Each structure stands twice: as C-alpha cells, then as structure tokens.
Amino acid sequence: MDSKPPPQNPSSTSAPPPQSNGRDFLAHLESYLAKRDGVDKLLKISRYASKIILSSSLLPQSHPLYPRLKSFESSVGLSRKAFRLGKFVQDVNALRSAHLDSRHRAILAVLTYGGEGFYYFVEQFVWLSKSGLIDSRHSPGLQKVSAWAELIGYVGSISLKVIDLRGILEEEDWLRSRIEELQVAGGGAEKEAEKLRRLREKGLLKKLSIVQDIADGLMAAADVRDGKGALSGPLLLASAGLLSAVISTHKNWISC
C-alpha cells in the first residue's frame, strides 16, 4: 500500500535554483557581477581574507605592507556599506510575500526580515557617519543598534531555515520510501529519483545557508559585545566572515 506524502512546506517544495552547467563562463561571470550581492560578496571575501592576514602572524606589523593592507580592509568595509543603500526594501518585500501559515512561523518571519531590514536601514546612517556627512559621534550608537538588529535577524533566520530543513528531510524520507515501493513493483521510479536528487541539492544549500547564518551571527554577537568575551577573537571572527562570504558567493553563483 502506497504511503502518503508528508505535508508539504511551501519553502521546501519550490523549484531549486537554476544550475550553471553548460553556460559560457564569461557570460555567467557578467551576470554574476551585474548583481549587487555578487560584487558585495567578492568585496566581503577580500575584506575578511585581509583580516585573516592582519590578525595572524602571516604578516608582521613592522612589514611595510601591513598598514596598506589595514587601510585596504577598512576601505572595503566602508565600500560594502555603500552597497547596502536601499537594501532594506528587499526585506520589506520578503516579509510581505512570506508564507505565514502559522503563528510561530509569522513571529520568526518578523524577527528575520524585520531584524535584517532594520539592520540594513540603520547601516545607511552608519555609512553616512563614517563617510563624514553625519557627525561621527553618532557612529558608535548607530553601530550598536545595527548589531542588535542584525543578531535578532540571524536568530529568526536560523530558526526558519531549521524548520525548512526538517520539511526537506521529511520529504526526502517519503521519496526514498516511494522509490523503494516502485522498484519492488517493477520500476518506473525515474521521476521520483530525479525529484530526490533535486531535493538533496536544495537540502545541501539550506544546510550551507544555516552555516553561513551561524558564522554571520557569531560576528554580530561579537559586535554587540564590542569584541569582548568568548568567541570574539579577531582570527576566529575573520575566519567566520570568510566562510560566510565563500558560501554566499557559491549560492549567488549557482543562482544567477
């Protein structure tokens, strides 16, 4: 007797991101660099790679390149803030279009998109302060507010993605059972096998996204504590930032 599929989660049954297989590399690269997030994540890789070098013993402070690299890292950080102008709008739209099928999910969505959106909104004023248009004395307070908003956003985001991942894993289990039933019945499981393959790819991306949020959340927590306390070492945070940047670059690359 055929088993019934589990209740489908809207986020787990959507089509996986388009793959880049077979595409011309330069055309794909042009498409990637045309996106704001594409350039931003390349800048993020550059910044945190520089931070790793600066916070490790790879380059001594007496080396002539050290102050140049430090200036480069600071400049890239300011440039990334400029790239976030108006980015809070995407969180407003994401919240409007979110599948709020339960009170629990609605609360998490508000935390996720509300926290991240408010973070990007405040970051605009942090950039204006650091660039000199707003009095710099406001910068520490603005940075503290943005750090708290970012951390709240990551708490909600991780929670939502864990729920989505559970839905994906449940659907994977059902598909595996369905494939076994069809194979015993004499075949015809090719369609379900393809669905399972795509679902596994989606699950892998979801896992990577959770790891990315944890890494970014670690940095946000350190900002809230002004870089003090456990798990706030410069090398650890720089490594977390680089890990997040690489994962995000990979996701953006295969989705464009």
Side-chain angles (χ1 to χ4, degrees):
M1 186 175 182
D2 292 347
S3 57
K4 295 182 180 180
Q8 295 182 338
N9 186 299
S11 61
S12 67
T13 56
S14 57
Q19 299 300 310
S20 59
N21 295 339
R23 289 184 60 182
D24 178 75
F25 174 77
L26 290 180
H28 194 175
L29 181 61
E30 179 185 4
S31 176
Y32 176 82
L33 293 176
K35 291 186 174 183
R36 167 164 52 179
D37 280 349
V39 177
D40 179 60
K41 300 314 174 187
L42 290 180
L43 289 174
K44 188 174 182 179
I45 288 177
S46 301
R47 186 188 184 199
Y48 285 102
S50 301
K51 276 181 168 289
I52 287 177
I53 295 173
L54 291 170
S55 58
S56 66
S57 57
L58 294 175
L59 190 68
Q61 295 188 17
S62 58
H63 196 283
L65 187 58
Y66 186 91
R68 296 182 183 180
L69 192 61
K70 193 173 183 62
S71 176
F72 169 78
E73 180 272 319
S74 178
S75 177
V76 170
L78 187 59
S79 299
R80 289 192 64 220
K81 292 185 185 300
F83 266 93
R84 294 168 182 165
L85 287 175
K87 197 172 181 179
F88 70 93
V89 176
Q90 75 180 25
D91 290 289
V92 174
N93 289 330
L95 183 58
R96 291 172 60 198
S97 60
H99 297 280
L100 308 179
D101 51 3
S102 68
R103 183 179 178 183
H104 182 227
R105 193 173 185 86
I107 293 173
L108 291 178
V110 170
L111 288 177
T112 300
Y113 302 119
E116 184 179 75
F118 189 63
Y119 159 70
Y120 283 130
F121 181 78
V122 175
E123 278 290 281
Q124 297 175 127
F125 297 98
V126 173
W127 172 66
L128 291 174
S129 176
K130 286 183 173 292
S131 60
L133 187 61
I134 296 178
D135 196 318
S136 60
R137 73 173 183 270
H138 299 299
S139 183
L142 288 169
Q143 287 181 291
K144 179 71 74 172
V145 171
S146 71
W148 271 110
E150 185 182 23
L151 182 59
I152 291 171
Y154 283 126
V155 170
S157 179
I158 292 170
S159 302
L160 273 180
K161 288 172 182 176
V162 168
I163 293 173
D164 291 343
L165 182 59
R166 287 174 181 168
I168 292 173
L169 294 177
E170 287 177 4
E171 195 171 348
E172 280 187 23
D173 290 339
W174 179 84
L175 276 173
R176 277 193 291 267
S177 299
R178 178 63 176 157
I179 290 171
E180 290 175 0
E181 291 173 357
L182 290 173
Q183 288 173 341
V184 170
E190 292 79 8
K191 186 177 180 180
E192 282 72 13
E194 177 63 17
K195 287 181 180 179
L196 181 60
R197 183 188 68 80
R198 289 178 176 272
L199 201 59
R200 283 172 174 167
E201 291 178 355
K202 187 175 180 65
L204 176 59
L205 287 177
K206 189 68 68 175
K207 291 174 184 176
L208 288 175
S209 188
I210 291 172
V211 171
Q212 178 190 349
D213 281 355
I214 292 173
D216 284 328
L218 182 66
M219 292 188 291
D223 289 339
V224 165
R225 296 176 296 164
D226 296 321
K228 301 174 183 178
L231 302 178
S232 298
L235 184 57
L236 174 63
L237 296 179
S239 300
L242 184 59
L243 174 62
S244 169
V246 170
I247 292 175
S248 185
T249 299
H250 170 71
K251 291 192 302 180
N252 287 337
W253 177 262
I254 65 176
S255 67
C256 70

